[in-house]
Amino acid sequence: MLRQIGEFYHQGEKDDTSRVWMTCWHHGGRILASCGDDKAVRVWSLVGEPDSKLRLECRTTLDDSHARAVRSVAFSNDGKLLVSASFDASVVIYQQEEGEFTEVNKLEGHESEVKCAVFSKSDEFLATCSRDKSVWFWQQDEDEDFSVSSILQPHTQDVKQVVWHPTEDLLVSCSYDSSIRFYRYDGEDWVTQQKIDNCHVGTVWSAAFDAEGHRLVTVGEDHVIQLFVRENIDSKSADQDTWKSVARLEVENTRWPLYAVTWNSENDVIATGGGDSKIRLFKISSKSSDSPIIEHLGVVGSHEYDVNHVAWNPKFSNILSSASDDGTIRLWELEI
Amino acid sequence: MEDSGFSGVVRLSNVSDFIAPNLDCIIPLETRTVEKKKEESQVNIRAKKTKNEENKQKEDKKSVKISLADCLACNGCITSAETVLVEEQSFGRLLEGIRNSKMAVITISPQTITSVAVKLEKTPEELAKLIASFFRRHGVKYILDSSFARQFAHSLASEELLLTPSTSRPLLSSACPGFVCYAEKSHGDLLIPKISKIRSPQAISGALVKGYLAKKEGLSPCDVFHAAVMPCFDKKLEASREQFKVEGTEIRETDCVVSTAELLEELGKEDVGEEDVAEEDVEEENSWTTSLSRGIIIGEDGGASGGYADRIVRDFVAQNGGIVKTSKLNKNMFSTTVESSTTGEILLRVAKVYGFRNVQNLVRKMKTKKEKTDYVEVMACPGGCANGGGQVRYETMDEREKRLAQVEELYEALPRGNGCSEWMESVREEWESLDTNYKNLLFTDYKPVETNVAQTLKW
């Protein structure tokens, strides 16, 4: 079902590897950014065509911005900026011009390791989260500098990931405290819209919205994948609405956490990566929110060690990238 | 732990961190004796220990004490116990301290008075008398207005600014312990040199009590108990700073700090009413030690956070003239400029920055050298001290906003002057005669704090 079409080492050669934490696709689908323990961010070009040999070629290495591992990397939605979040408690913004990336900003303020940094869909806001249990919202001001818009400390433990809604200014955060929280902008400040405690037994590692933003899946320490739906799709906007859990599936035959989840916006296939080094696919069997079932399509690929992140290509919807502790970024092709 | 009364700044960086398995306490690294695992311990279970062995074991186990002052230093570890230590500065301890002393003095902040006044629907003057007589009944000799101590701070501010070269500006106010703790822990190199060295009103009051009043009354500082009632919990951390111990001793200048809310709770317990207000003693001289008990509160321009920015502007204009223009960017950010009336050139830039988010932005601007102000009044709590973490709390957002506005109104309406400057002069004279170096007690310094061990790890 999923065919590996390439394996690329983030750093150096096979014997000199270090963990890759994350990969992120540019909206055009032809550029990929990766980051890892080697404190560097790399930018790759996707060369080739889906029918002929597709491969990644490393174009740029950005390795002098961070003093510790880079945990997360993300493109802004317009592709002009790249943001990296590091264990050194800083967030760095790079500006892209004709394929060249330059560091333009360093955002400091988090007290400890920053786990994730992502731009909202309109690129108006940047959300960051950290082991210091807080979620920060930043906004770009006239000088192209970023200023802090709100600082929220809703979680009681490390916040692992923050994910933006595909269409509206709604953010969800996942934490080691087993809960997820939703946030919206009330015009002046960011406020907590909803809290869902005991989402998983243990850390909630990752979350992903579907293409329309009506549904959300989360994965966690307990190797469970859980589905949430918006309760009032017809009457409320996403940021004013509440979410409820409608289905959950515990992945059997594994005792390792699920670390990553990504929801394909074209074909609705959900991919996960876990501590058992495996990539799995899932599908939601019925679109109606009354009784959806999460179907496990099976283990479709694997790395040699933990899979930290998976991401569907936004343009070539059958292509998936994965990042692993084994130091590789792999490309996969979905064959239905 | 969310509503513990600490400012957001201190909370984020200090208090609600829970111990992580790999974070070690940085303080007892020197004092901890690594207990060697006795290889043969399993064999020795039934064997009788010799007397020597027993004694040696006792020696090896040094008890590691961690004090509140140590806790300011660290980012992980026993910080849930830190709140326990802070809770030690409770009202119970306060009353105990009064009982065990030869003389007890309480310093009350005007923010506290206005906050309780709004809650109990009394005038600040009535409340001042009420609170004073409450403490008198418990054996307190003097009830002081922290605004008096603040006058000392204000009188030194302009001179300090004048002596600060433009490369070392903006000069940052030092009265907010939330901000000071944050600056020492994060951005120490950037911020510490820029924080005003003038003590906060609480700290000056501590020096007044244990350095001046004690000497005047012929008492040793250890026989004097000084407590303060403040609008926030961060002031408890401030009171336990090393710099605020009586020189050469372990005695704190301010032994105990309680918050407005804690005072309100105590007043509630005793069901204090108007009948309980003691008769005004006409024989008693009206001075700074008795003003509060008489319902005389010292007011000041510039808002409920101490009016530092305002005073700087006023003093500047008094010296140099100029036109004052103030703009309000939002609830928590104000900017004031003094322009030359002839050339229109800007002579002075002063700002007020309240709340963690704005503190972050201020720090960012300072880092990138984009901050052009000369002086910034920085407060960790949004809304300033009137909205401190220890002030009287209300249930709903609406109620809170309404009450905050009332507190600020009452504060603004407090009478100005009230004989303050004469009192200050006479205290100055007398203090100098008792202690020629008394001026040192109006200043303090700051030390950057080593962050947690994990930050220095290389992965």
Side-chain angles (χ1 to χ4, degrees):
Chain A
M1 237 181 296
L2 203 69
R3 185 172 65 95
Q4 182 178 318
I5 54 178
E7 185 183 305
F8 309 92
Y9 285 91
H10 186 254
Q11 176 209 33
E13 294 309 309
K14 189 168 178 162
D15 296 323
D16 184 26
T17 59
S18 70
R19 165 196 283 144
V20 191
W21 277 118
M22 194 181 279
T23 56
C24 175
W25 291 101
H26 180 274
H27 68 83
R30 280 284 180 187
I31 307 176
L32 179 82
S34 65
C35 65
D37 267 0
D38 63 346
K39 307 173 189 145
V41 169
R42 282 193 173 76
V43 183
W44 311 71
S45 285
L46 182 66
V47 176
E49 294 305 318
D51 349 331
S52 71
K53 202 163 172 10
L54 264 179
R55 65 195 181 284
L56 289 173
E57 283 178 9
C58 184
R59 291 276 176 257
T60 317
T61 300
L62 304 160
D63 59 2
D64 56 4
S65 299
H66 287 295
R68 286 177 66 189
V70 186
R71 180 65 176 84
S72 130
V73 68
F75 279 101
S76 62
N77 295 285
D78 60 11
K80 293 189 191 140
L81 301 175
L82 183 66
V83 62
S84 64
S86 165
F87 284 174
D88 67 4
S90 74
V91 170
V92 169
I93 311 271
Y94 308 85
Q95 198 157 57
Q96 196 248 106
E97 220 157 316
E98 292 168 359
E100 293 292 314
F101 286 84
T102 24
E103 181 182 326
V104 291
N105 238 313
K106 191 169 216 169
L107 309 180
E108 287 170 314
H110 272 295
E111 288 287 315
S112 50
E113 295 83 357
V114 189
K115 300 299 174 100
C116 191
V118 262
F119 283 96
S120 67
K121 282 308 180 268
S122 60
D123 286 335
E124 192 187 340
F125 294 103
L126 174 70
T128 61
C129 66
S130 160
R131 182 171 71 82
D132 66 13
K133 303 168 201 145
S134 64
V135 175
W136 292 39
F137 292 87
W138 307 73
Q139 251 177 316
Q140 234 181 344
D141 60 23
E142 329 78 47
D143 307 322
E144 290 192 345
D145 190 7
F146 281 80
S147 64
V148 183
S149 169
S150 301
I151 297 171
L152 294 169
Q153 205 171 358
H155 286 289
T156 54
Q157 296 285 5
D158 191 353
V159 188
K160 299 293 187 185
Q161 192 178 57
V162 278
V163 184
W164 287 99
H165 187 269
T167 54
E168 295 190 49
D169 283 341
L170 174 72
L171 184 81
V172 68
S173 63
C174 312
S175 166
Y176 176 26
D177 69 6
S178 315
S179 76
I180 59 174
R181 315 250 167 190
F182 294 84
Y183 312 89
R184 67 178 176 85
Y185 195 54
D186 72 356
E188 241 186 58
D189 258 324
W190 283 87
V191 293
T192 305
Q193 164 68 1
Q194 189 185 355
K195 307 181 192 180
I196 302 181
D197 288 321
N198 302 313
C199 213
H200 286 267
V201 178
T203 312
V204 184
W205 278 104
S206 182
F209 285 98
D210 69 358
E212 289 140 349
H214 296 327
R215 298 172 295 173
L216 176 76
V217 278
T218 61
V219 292
E221 187 89 27
D222 52 3
H223 46 91
V224 161
I225 173 167
Q226 191 163 186
L227 176 69
F228 295 85
V229 292
R230 263 183 67 190
E231 297 193 270
N232 303 295
I233 292 175
D234 301 318
S235 49
K236 289 192 185 171
S237 62
D239 63 343
Q240 305 269 13
D241 206 350
T242 48
W243 299 72
K244 73 167 195 274
S245 169
V246 293
R248 64 191 291 279
L249 176 69
E250 182 171 340
V251 174
E252 288 159 22
N253 307 320
T254 186
R255 51 191 180 93
W256 297 98
L258 288 173
Y259 288 131
V261 65
T262 179
W263 202 324
N264 195 307
S265 49
E266 299 272 322
N267 52 37
D268 251 16
V269 175
I270 297 167
T272 62
D276 58 2
S277 334
K278 309 225 183 300
I279 297 175
R280 296 162 193 276
L281 294 181
F282 299 82
K283 208 157 170 143
I284 310 294
S285 65
S286 85
K287 256 234 151 122
S288 100
S289 49
D290 296 342
S291 56
I293 301 172
I294 305 174
E295 255 180 63
H296 183 193
L297 301 177
V299 174
V300 293
S302 65
H303 274 264
E304 280 170 67
Y305 295 111
D306 302 24
V307 181
N308 298 314
H309 191 80
V310 282
W312 290 110
N313 186 307
K315 210 50 184 263
F316 304 103
S317 54
N318 290 342
I319 305 294
L320 179 80
S321 67
S322 62
S324 165
D325 274 4
D326 63 14
T328 66
I329 300 162
R330 295 189 192 197
L331 287 183
W332 311 80
E333 188 167 12
L334 181 69
E335 292 164 329
I336 302 182
Chain B
M1 206 150 301
E2 282 192 14
D3 245 334
S4 58
F6 288 103
S7 72
V9 177
V10 167
R11 256 209 322 269
L12 186 70
S13 52
N14 237 336
V15 181
S16 38
D17 220 342
F18 292 101
I19 186 170
N22 58 346
L23 282 181
D24 235 348
C25 175
I26 63 169
I27 299 303
L29 281 174
E30 311 92 69
T31 56
R32 180 183 296 160
T33 47
V34 176
E35 293 186 11
K36 297 201 192 88
K37 280 214 158 85
K38 292 212 160 72
E39 301 295 316
E40 67 276 17
S41 61
Q42 286 181 343
V43 177
N44 274 346
I45 287 170
R46 295 245 179 91
K48 266 194 187 167
K49 289 197 191 112
T50 64
K51 254 277 166 45
N52 281 343
E53 266 185 312
E54 268 184 354
N55 287 339
K56 192 162 185 302
Q57 275 185 357
K58 279 198 193 130
E59 270 176 60
D60 282 345
K61 287 184 166 63
K62 278 196 199 138
S63 67
V64 176
K65 282 199 183 137
I66 299 180
S67 71
L68 183 58
D70 295 334
C71 281
L72 286 178
C74 182
N75 197 10
C77 149
I78 62 170
T79 43
S80 34
E82 178 185 77
T83 24
V84 167
L85 285 173
V86 164
E87 275 155 17
E88 222 191 22
Q89 287 197 37
S90 64
F91 220 98
R93 290 293 169 112
L94 190 152
L95 297 173
E96 199 185 306
I98 298 173
R99 284 194 296 271
N100 296 338
S101 66
K102 291 197 182 144
M103 175 169 88
V105 181
I106 308 266
T107 297
I108 308 199
S109 69
Q111 293 88 351
T112 297
I113 298 179
T114 45
S115 179
V116 179
V118 163
K119 175 76 184 180
L120 298 180
E121 287 170 7
K122 294 191 188 301
T123 67
E125 289 72 23
E126 285 172 336
L127 198 67
K129 286 193 211 169
L130 207 131
I131 295 178
S133 85
F134 165 83
F135 278 115
R136 282 264 171 87
R137 267 202 312 283
H138 281 283
V140 174
K141 185 165 182 189
Y142 298 120
I143 293 100
L144 308 176
D145 186 342
S146 70
S147 310
F148 179 68
R150 201 200 313 128
Q151 292 303 313
F152 283 84
H154 275 193
S155 67
L156 300 163
S158 291
E159 192 186 326
E160 189 188 31
L161 181 62
L162 219 70
L163 295 172
T164 310
S166 55
T167 44
S168 308
R169 295 186 186 190
L171 184 61
L172 308 171
S173 65
S174 55
C176 176
F179 175 66
V180 170
C181 279
Y182 176 71
E184 287 182 321
K185 270 203 59 215
S186 331
H187 316 290
D189 297 327
L190 172 71
L191 294 177
I192 288 178
K194 299 203 155 74
I195 305 180
S196 159
K197 304 229 178 346
I198 303 171
R199 283 190 180 200
S200 72
Q202 176 178 290
I204 290 180
S205 209
L208 273 172
V209 172
K210 303 239 179 163
Y212 168 72
L213 274 181
K215 282 200 166 71
K216 200 169 146 190
E217 312 247 336
L219 290 168
S220 138
C222 62
D223 292 327
V224 179
F225 180 77
H226 176 228
V229 188
M230 290 285 154
C232 68
F233 273 50
D234 298 0
K235 284 288 178 190
K236 298 189 190 223
L237 297 179
E238 184 187 297
S240 47
R241 286 172 73 88
E242 278 305 310
Q243 292 91 332
F244 299 146
K245 289 193 175 151
V246 176
E247 181 145 356
T249 72
E250 284 301 297
I251 302 168
R252 292 192 199 156
E253 289 171 334
T254 304
D255 299 285
C256 180
V257 176
V258 292
S259 66
T260 308
E262 288 169 272
L263 174 67
L264 180 71
E265 204 187 315
E266 271 319 295
L267 290 176
K269 281 186 199 165
E270 299 204 356
D271 201 22
V272 180
E274 292 204 27
E275 332 70 60
D276 298 310
V277 176
E279 280 297 313
E280 207 172 285
D281 187 353
V282 249
E283 303 258 327
E284 204 178 52
E285 200 185 292
N286 186 25
S287 96
W288 62 283
T289 51
T290 56
S291 58
L292 213 57
S293 333
R294 294 163 154 262
I296 298 164
I297 310 172
I298 301 163
E300 178 97 46
D301 286 336
S305 301
Y308 298 94
D310 214 78
R311 177 65 183 252
I312 292 271
V313 171
R314 272 184 288 137
D315 282 359
F316 184 87
V317 171
Q319 274 281 68
N320 308 296
I323 308 169
V324 180
K325 292 194 180 153
T326 302
S327 64
K328 178 176 166 176
L329 286 98
N330 59 52
K331 292 190 291 203
N332 292 308
M333 291 205 45
F334 298 82
S335 153
T336 300
T337 52
V338 178
E339 277 176 23
S340 156
S341 33
T342 45
T343 66
E345 177 200 344
I346 294 183
L347 306 166
L348 184 76
R349 281 189 179 83
V350 165
K352 291 197 222 187
V353 170
Y354 300 167
F356 190 37
R357 173 217 327 193
N358 295 317
V359 168
Q360 281 300 308
N361 288 327
L362 172 70
V363 171
R364 278 188 63 71
K365 287 224 174 83
M366 286 173 67
K367 266 214 164 129
T368 52
K369 305 220 182 348
K370 287 189 190 154
E371 187 59 46
K372 303 253 180 340
T373 46
D374 298 290
Y375 185 89
V376 186
E377 178 181 304
V378 192
M379 297 290 148
C381 296
C385 302
N387 197 31
Q391 293 283 68
V392 177
R393 281 235 171 285
Y394 300 92
E395 291 301 318
T396 64
M397 246 332 234
D398 283 341
E399 182 85 34
R400 270 181 245 165
E401 274 180 32
K402 195 176 90 175
R403 299 294 192 166
L404 176 62
Q406 283 177 331
V407 169
E408 286 171 338
E409 245 178 75
L410 271 188
Y411 195 101
E412 183 59 36
L414 292 173
R416 311 284 192 254
N418 276 331
C420 212
S421 38
E422 290 108 59
W423 295 335
M424 192 171 75
E425 275 319 302
S426 80
V427 166
R428 270 219 158 102
E429 262 180 54
E430 234 194 303
W431 203 352
E432 181 147 29
S433 67
L434 293 168
D435 177 2
T436 43
N437 293 325
Y438 85 95
K439 278 217 176 114
N440 294 341
L441 293 173
L442 299 174
F443 294 91
T444 182
D445 60 36
Y446 311 100
K447 257 187 350 205
V449 166
E450 290 302 309
T451 47
N452 70 54
V453 178
Q455 283 287 64
T456 58
L457 290 174
K458 291 301 172 208
W459 42 265

